[in-house]
Amino acid sequence: MHDDRKLVEARLERVLRERIRPAVHPVTTPLAVEIWSTDGEPVSVAEGLAAPTSPIAAGTPWGAPWGTSWFKVTGAVPVEWTGRTVEAVLDLGFTPRTPGFQCEGLVYGPDGTPVKGLHPRNNYVRVGAPAAGGEQVHWRIEAASNPDLDASGVPFQPTPMGDKATAGNAPQYVLGEMRLAVFDETVWNLVMDLEVLGELMAELPVDGARRWEILRAVDRALDAVDLQDVNGTAAAARSELAGVLSAPAETSAHRISAVGHAHIDSAWLWPLRETVRKVARTTSNMTQLLEEEAEFVFAMSQAQQFAWIKEHRPEVYARVKKAVADGRFVPTGGMWVESDTNMPGSEAMARQFVYGKRFFLEEFGIENDEAWLPDTFGFAAGLPQIIKAAGSTRLLTQKISWSKTNNFPHHTFNWEGIDGTRIFTHFPPVDSYNCEMTGRQIAHAAKNFKEKGAATRSLAPTGYGDGGGGATREMVAKASRMRSLQGAASVEWETPKEFFGKAEAEYPNPPVWVGELYLELHRATLTSQAQTKRGNRRSESLLTEAELWAATAAARTEFPYPYEELDRIWKTVLLHQFHDILPGSSIAWVHREARETYARLAKDLEDIIAGAQRALAGDPSGGSELVFNSAPHNRRSVPACGASAAAADDSGVVPAAREGGGYLLDNGLLRVEIDERGLVVSAYDRTADREAVAPGRAAGLLQLHPDFPNQWDAWDVDAFYRNVGSDLTEVADLRVEGGSVRVERTFGESRVVQHLSVPADTKRLDIDTEVDWHETEKFLKLAFPLDVKADRYASETQFGHAYRPTHQNTSWEWAKFEACNHRFVHVDEPGWGVAVVNDATYGHDVTRTSDTTTVRASMLRAPRYPDPETDQGVHRFHHALVPGATIGVAVREGYRANLPERTVTGSVKAVAPLVDVDNDAVVVSAVKLADDRSGDLVVRLYEAHGGRARATVRIDGFAAEHAVLTDLLERPLADAEPPAQTGDGLALALRPFQMVTLRLPRS
């Protein structure tokens, strides 16, 4: 037989495009359309429904950037259509782009009831099945004219459209046709048949019989279609395909659990307020699809998004709650948002699960067993313990498939964190969290699955996401055809819980991956939008202080614990840890609002802290100066988590002139030499007789690199940035200012001022940097070349620290050329080490020579997409170099830099710590009152040094008869032995990096 394969495939493509798909709606009639546009922000539904409208015709431009228009659509079903299926096809001016990145709409009935959302792949509204002739159609459409930031077709181009303040008023869209149409279900099913078979056929081996069986059936079906009467011959064409569609899947076929899904970014190329509407549009569609399709299951994560529709669209939320109760709309993930997991601090990462799981429990009575993070940019090594402590045991993500250097070796495995906790983890081999149920995607999942021979199952998150949309009736139809279809994987709609249960049962001993799940991409998200990152770090620190002092004051005085305020603030901070806000990859509007929000939160938290400390300090006329220490370590004679009136002098040493130029800072423990260029050429540890700075090098050195990645400007920094760079050694001004050495430099269009100082009694060099940054596509680093030979280094992560190699023996090591730390990086040789501490930077790199190690903190970038003004303006940073530091010192100095002391005048002489721990290796991360408002005290601690530790925890001034171990939601652990009572307090024995939560019921 002659090879006519390409001929038939080309025929299929054209006949589908030009004849069969258009015949789905064989008869149409126009609808009358009118419009009203708001001048400002979106209005309420009631106002939109009542607004006066004026006629608008197809072809008319509409919609200013980020504007809202209300369309009134009216008409009547023609009498001759009686008994037929009728739907409206409503085109707002959609472009070929996928949903979520252009105009969108939500259709309302005359009474304001939400009907369904509109986007380019889901632009119909069913009128009747069957319809009644003369039936009146009267809808309002709330249409968002969100600009397409990539409308030029060239990705990652700078654009002013990312902020309403700079986007202008030019209309973004041209209204398309709005018509009533007869829906021919037979033709639509023929389209689904042909698409499934055509897509499957393209994935099958050319030398296999199945491909040719499908080809011949398709050829016969196309012969059966009368191109002048598609609707009259569609049934005959379908009959030609029935045989190949009914051939069952092989018993060895890969099994795919399809989960309806719409990964909606809580902010990205749109502001937070628009996400509220995206969620409403998507969930309106999904609840309707659940009613129409009996097998369909839809899962949605992010408790914040449920809370938004509860607050802003209660009618939609009522439909969601009903679907949840029916078991087919599944809250999943158990987090407040799908957050970044690299940068959130220990408590913030824990609270993501606390607030998310509590919302789902309170609203739906559901507790999730899985963390759901399909799009997060890598996973910190401390996360497994947090997931398990929240009562979950599983994780799903897809993002690691984006790695550019190494192909991750597993799709299903156990992930082990720094404390030894293991979490059953799945990466969908479909390699998409927006699966469309195409034959190519399903075939790829089966071919790609790395656990063949040991496991048979994977999951496919199915639906349009990022900007919302969810699954469509076409995706459901394709999945039903592939439930058992020869040559394809077997597809079945299942909940995440059902998938994980079956996957674990068939694969009881999966391979183990130890340590972080590093994404070999998007490394620059650790640095972009420095003010957003500072706002996050500062908010986390202020929340630590606010909870500590409010709990202490509530236990000791009449101070009312601010439950509602802290709850509101925590939720706002958690929201801004979403994986496109904290990482700095959103539009200008998002980050402008984030800066404003963080400023408000800081004021609110400062008020809580001040009120609690005033209550503890007593009468301000008493004249005693109390120094409050929020850190979990004693310092300057002030107890950890307490206050003292007798604190040591914290003034620094006075700089002295240095022979040859520059200055000398020497406190008897540490001698620092700053040369005439304002660079640190020596940091000498007198007690250890060791030099910290690498020979012939200078520390505190600012280095500037060009920064123009191949794509994903705000997200990526590519390895070649290191090929070119300049040391900023020219000094504009060098002088003593107070107790510090002031260094001023200018470069490009920017200016930097550094203050270098050494405290009187600590081996620490403090470097405070102010940068007035006006560079474009540049990367600013702060370098510390150290005289330490280290094959690995430690960087702080949640509830501990993780080690990374300094060498690049393998491609896995080479790929980690930019990584995340929290408050410190530590390098050492046996017996002596150095810490580099920060108060708000996360990105860093560590390199080595044969006998030295260089640590560089990443300070600023200047990408132009999606925010063309990223990081322009004034920034402040604090770093510290700590020679002779052990890991314990690094931990202590990290807390010191982030939890500064506060001085309050009062009548008491001291405030004893509410919680005291007798071992510095056991760190208190939270002291608070229980979230259930019982008045119980909750204390969270963890082993911070990486070894076994015993400690006694003493509670002072809080009447409690006993303590229980709890999970993160402050629920007693069923099988946990209560901590032993000793004469001094509670005795704890902790494993390396173990985190525990203690609850002490109020007597």
Side-chain angles (χ1 to χ4, degrees):
M1 184 178 290
H2 295 296
D3 184 353
D4 60 349
R5 177 174 50 87
K6 292 184 179 179
L7 186 69
V8 176
E9 291 171 354
R11 180 190 185 192
L12 171 62
E13 192 276 331
R14 184 179 184 190
V15 172
L16 264 175
R17 182 183 69 247
E18 297 186 19
R19 292 293 188 271
I20 302 179
R21 289 194 189 104
V24 169
H25 296 115
V27 186
T28 68
T29 187
L31 290 161
V33 185
E34 298 184 1
I35 188 173
W36 173 77
S37 299
T38 64
D39 294 328
E41 285 295 280
V43 299
S44 68
V45 173
E47 187 175 347
L49 293 174
T53 56
S54 56
I56 182 173
T60 303
W62 70 278
W66 304 113
T68 301
S69 295
W70 285 80
F71 290 94
K72 182 168 72 173
V73 180
T74 56
V77 176
V79 174
E80 59 270 26
W81 293 1
T82 300
R84 305 182 73 176
T85 301
V86 176
E87 57 191 29
V89 181
L90 306 173
D91 183 359
L92 296 173
F94 299 125
T95 71
R97 282 267 281 167
T98 56
F101 300 92
Q102 53 178 291
C103 57
E104 304 171 51
L106 181 56
V107 180
Y108 295 88
D111 61 352
T113 301
V115 179
K116 72 183 295 287
L118 297 176
H119 63 66
R121 310 290 171 83
N122 196 342
N123 65 343
Y124 70 93
V125 180
R126 184 63 56 84
V127 176
E135 181 177 346
Q136 296 296 307
V137 171
H138 187 140
W139 291 314
R140 292 292 180 108
I141 305 171
E142 181 189 19
S145 49
N146 302 331
D148 183 349
L149 270 65
D150 289 326
S152 67
V154 180
F156 315 118
Q157 294 301 298
T159 173
M161 291 294 178
D163 197 328
K164 192 171 183 178
T166 58
N169 296 304
Q172 297 296 292
Y173 298 97
V174 175
L175 185 66
E177 291 188 344
M178 297 199 179
R179 308 180 71 85
L180 285 178
V182 171
F183 175 74
D184 190 325
E185 189 168 0
T186 302
V187 175
W188 181 82
N189 275 304
L190 176 60
V191 172
M192 296 299 99
D193 293 345
L194 289 170
E195 287 187 356
V196 166
L197 291 171
E199 291 164 358
L200 171 61
M201 180 171 59
E203 300 301 324
L204 294 172
V206 175
D207 57 359
R210 178 62 172 165
R211 179 162 183 161
W212 291 92
E213 289 172 0
I214 295 174
L215 186 80
R216 294 295 162 230
V218 167
D219 204 21
R220 292 193 301 271
L222 295 177
D223 287 342
V225 175
D226 182 343
L227 299 185
Q228 277 65 53
D229 185 16
V230 173
N231 301 88
T233 55
R238 290 199 73 201
S239 68
E240 296 292 343
L241 301 173
V244 290
L245 282 168
S246 63
E250 294 87 350
T251 56
S252 61
H254 183 64
R255 297 183 176 116
I256 292 179
S257 297
V259 180
H261 187 238
H263 164 68
I264 302 177
D265 287 312
S266 290
W268 180 28
L269 303 182
W270 45 87
L272 287 167
R273 65 91 155 144
E274 191 55 34
T275 311
V276 176
R277 303 199 295 177
K278 285 177 175 288
V279 174
R281 293 189 281 260
T282 298
T283 53
S284 294
N285 280 351
M286 295 304 96
T287 52
Q288 184 195 52
L289 194 59
L290 287 167
E291 293 175 2
E292 296 171 353
E293 302 289 348
E295 295 183 349
F296 179 56
V297 173
F298 181 75
M300 190 170 94
S301 68
Q302 306 191 72
Q304 171 69 87
Q305 296 188 358
F306 287 85
W308 275 334
I309 53 174
K310 179 182 179 181
E311 177 184 357
H312 297 283
R313 291 291 191 272
E315 301 88 351
V316 178
Y317 192 62
R319 291 164 56 178
V320 168
K321 288 204 76 170
K322 180 182 181 304
V324 171
D326 292 341
R328 297 177 58 217
F329 192 119
V330 183
T332 192
M335 295 176 68
W336 190 246
V337 295
E338 290 181 11
S339 72
D340 179 79
T341 74
N342 285 312
M343 291 175 282
S346 303
E347 278 303 311
M349 199 72 255
R351 306 300 174 94
Q352 285 286 352
F353 289 91
V354 169
Y355 280 91
K357 297 197 80 168
R358 183 172 291 133
F359 183 93
F360 289 161
L361 281 164
E362 292 175 353
E363 290 291 315
F364 310 117
I366 289 174
E367 178 157 12
N368 301 108
D369 198 33
E370 71 284 336
W372 186 273
L373 291 163
D375 190 30
T376 296
F377 309 150
F379 300 87
L383 189 57
Q385 178 175 207
I386 297 171
I387 293 173
K388 187 172 182 179
S392 297
T393 60
R394 299 155 170 171
L395 168 67
L396 179 136
T397 185
Q398 180 274 320
K399 200 67 173 188
I400 299 298
S401 70
W402 287 41
S403 286
K404 294 299 185 184
T405 305
N406 297 285
N407 191 2
F408 196 81
H410 312 297
H411 281 112
T412 304
F413 59 100
N414 276 333
W415 177 30
E416 182 178 313
I418 55 174
D419 73 313
T421 297
R422 292 182 178 180
I423 296 296
F424 188 81
T425 303
H426 181 66
F427 293 171
V430 71
D431 283 349
S432 174
Y433 49 81
N434 298 323
C435 175
E436 299 175 35
M437 276 293 137
T438 66
R440 179 190 59 79
Q441 290 173 319
I442 299 306
H444 174 76
K447 294 174 184 176
N448 188 37
F449 188 55
K450 293 185 173 65
E451 318 308 318
K452 295 184 188 77
T456 65
R457 298 177 181 276
S458 70
L459 185 144
T462 302
Y464 294 114
D466 292 324
T472 64
R473 61 184 178 184
E474 289 78 13
M475 295 175 192
V476 176
K478 289 184 175 184
S480 70
R481 285 160 173 78
M482 289 186 285
R483 186 179 181 91
S484 180
L485 179 62
Q486 185 182 355
S490 296
V491 178
E492 183 176 4
W493 294 104
E494 292 189 303
T495 66
K497 182 176 183 178
E498 289 170 332
F499 161 74
F500 273 111
K502 292 176 181 179
E504 282 190 283
E506 75 166 4
Y507 205 20
N509 296 299
V512 177
W513 181 270
V514 179
E516 68 182 324
L517 294 170
Y518 179 91
L519 178 63
E520 296 170 353
L521 192 74
H522 293 357
R523 302 168 181 88
T525 56
L526 303 173
T527 305
S528 297
Q529 298 288 0
Q531 290 185 4
T532 298
K533 290 170 170 58
R534 173 167 289 278
N536 174 75
R537 179 76 69 84
R538 186 64 181 136
S539 295
E540 290 181 352
S541 297
L542 288 170
L543 278 162
T544 297
E545 293 187 77
E547 288 185 337
L548 167 66
W549 300 121
T552 305
R556 303 254 177 88
T557 74
E558 298 298 315
F559 183 80
Y561 192 80
Y563 291 103
E564 292 184 4
E565 277 290 279
L566 290 171
D567 184 77
R568 173 184 62 82
I569 293 168
W570 263 118
K571 288 176 179 176
T572 305
V573 171
L574 298 177
L575 167 60
H576 285 79
Q577 291 177 341
F578 179 75
H579 66 251
D580 278 308
I581 303 179
L582 178 54
S585 47
S586 288
I587 56 174
W589 189 342
V590 173
H591 292 289
R592 171 173 55 80
E593 287 190 333
R595 293 190 292 271
E596 296 165 358
T597 297
Y598 283 131
R600 290 194 301 270
L601 296 183
K603 181 182 182 304
D604 294 343
L605 288 166
E606 292 282 5
D607 289 345
I608 292 171
I609 294 164
Q613 290 182 339
R614 278 195 300 270
L616 290 165
D619 186 352
S621 64
S624 294
E625 282 200 344
L626 279 173
V627 177
F628 282 81
N629 174 20
S630 304
H633 307 91
N634 299 346
R635 61 189 189 197
R636 299 200 303 117
S637 77
V638 182
C641 303
S644 169
D649 181 16
D650 64 348
S651 60
V653 300
V654 177
R658 172 180 175 268
E659 185 177 348
Y663 296 94
L664 183 68
L665 298 166
D666 192 342
N667 66 1
L669 302 172
L670 177 68
R671 186 187 70 219
V672 174
E673 294 185 42
I674 301 165
D675 72 4
E676 69 281 0
R677 302 169 298 171
L679 298 175
V680 178
V681 292
S682 174
Y684 188 75
D685 178 354
R686 286 182 174 274
T687 58
D689 193 22
R690 281 286 303 259
E691 174 61 60
V693 179
R697 306 286 298 281
L701 172 66
L702 292 165
Q703 297 179 313
L704 192 66
H705 296 272
D707 184 18
F708 189 63
N710 289 343
Q711 57 181 349
W712 298 107
D713 294 42
W715 294 257
D716 282 0
V717 56
D718 289 330
F720 54 72
Y721 89 90
R722 297 175 296 184
N723 297 346
V724 179
S726 57
D727 295 344
L728 303 182
T729 59
E730 296 296 321
V731 61
D733 185 39
L734 179 65
R735 65 174 187 267
V736 173
E737 186 172 275
S740 66
V741 176
R742 181 185 184 276
V743 185
E744 181 176 346
R745 307 182 196 280
T746 59
F747 57 94
E749 301 298 318
S750 303
R751 172 179 171 270
V752 59
V753 174
Q754 291 180 307
H755 286 87
L756 286 72
S757 60
V758 171
D761 58 355
T762 304
K763 289 189 289 186
R764 185 181 74 239
L765 169 65
D766 290 320
I767 303 176
D768 293 286
T769 306
E770 180 178 286
V771 186
D772 189 4
W773 179 251
H774 297 283
E775 304 307 300
T776 298
E777 295 166 350
K778 295 290 193 295
F779 197 4
L780 184 65
K781 292 266 189 175
L782 179 63
F784 296 91
L786 304 174
D787 194 10
V788 177
K789 183 182 185 300
D791 293 330
R792 66 174 190 170
Y793 73 95
S795 61
E796 189 183 37
T797 188
Q798 293 100 1
F799 298 112
H801 54 268
Y803 287 98
R804 298 186 184 96
T806 60
H807 55 76
Q808 298 178 354
N809 284 355
T810 71
S811 58
W812 294 89
E813 294 151 356
W814 174 85
K816 294 183 180 181
F817 59 81
E818 185 79 6
C820 183
N821 71 283
H822 287 184
R823 287 168 290 216
F824 69 81
V825 168
H826 181 262
V827 298
D828 68 355
E829 297 172 1
W832 194 83
V834 180
V836 176
V837 172
N838 74 83
D839 74 340
T841 55
Y842 296 93
H844 69 277
D845 68 87
V846 178
T847 55
R848 67 192 295 274
T849 67
S850 60
D851 55 3
T852 67
T853 306
T854 297
V855 177
R856 298 199 304 168
S858 303
M859 299 178 75
L860 289 166
R861 300 183 67 237
R864 301 182 66 207
Y865 180 90
D867 177 3
E869 298 297 320
T870 300
D871 280 336
Q872 301 300 296
V874 176
H875 303 267
R876 294 176 178 84
F877 304 91
H878 172 78
H879 293 86
L881 179 68
V882 190
T886 61
I887 277 287
V889 170
V891 172
R892 184 194 70 206
E893 290 298 330
Y895 275 103
R896 179 206 59 79
N898 286 269
L899 293 170
E901 299 164 351
R902 297 173 183 269
T903 301
V904 179
T905 302
S907 57
V908 304
K909 299 298 183 184
V911 176
L914 187 60
V915 179
D916 178 66
V917 183
D918 66 355
N919 185 343
D920 273 356
V922 179
V923 170
V924 175
S925 68
V927 176
K928 60 189 288 293
L929 296 192
D931 289 346
D932 62 8
R933 307 193 181 191
S934 60
D936 294 356
L937 181 66
V938 173
V939 181
R940 192 148 31 248
L941 317 94
Y942 69 100
E943 195 289 314
H945 294 183
R948 307 242 171 194
R950 294 184 178 274
T952 300
V953 180
R954 289 180 289 271
I955 308 298
D956 184 357
F958 183 88
E961 295 179 355
H962 66 282
V964 295
L965 293 172
T966 74
D967 64 9
L968 290 178
L969 276 70
E970 302 166 8
R971 302 172 299 191
L973 295 173
D975 300 325
E977 291 288 332
Q981 298 271 357
T982 69
D984 290 333
L986 304 170
L988 295 179
L990 276 68
R991 302 185 311 275
F993 300 128
Q994 182 182 359
M995 175 262 290
V996 297
T997 303
L998 296 172
R999 180 167 183 155
L1000 295 96
R1002 183 184 291 274
S1003 297

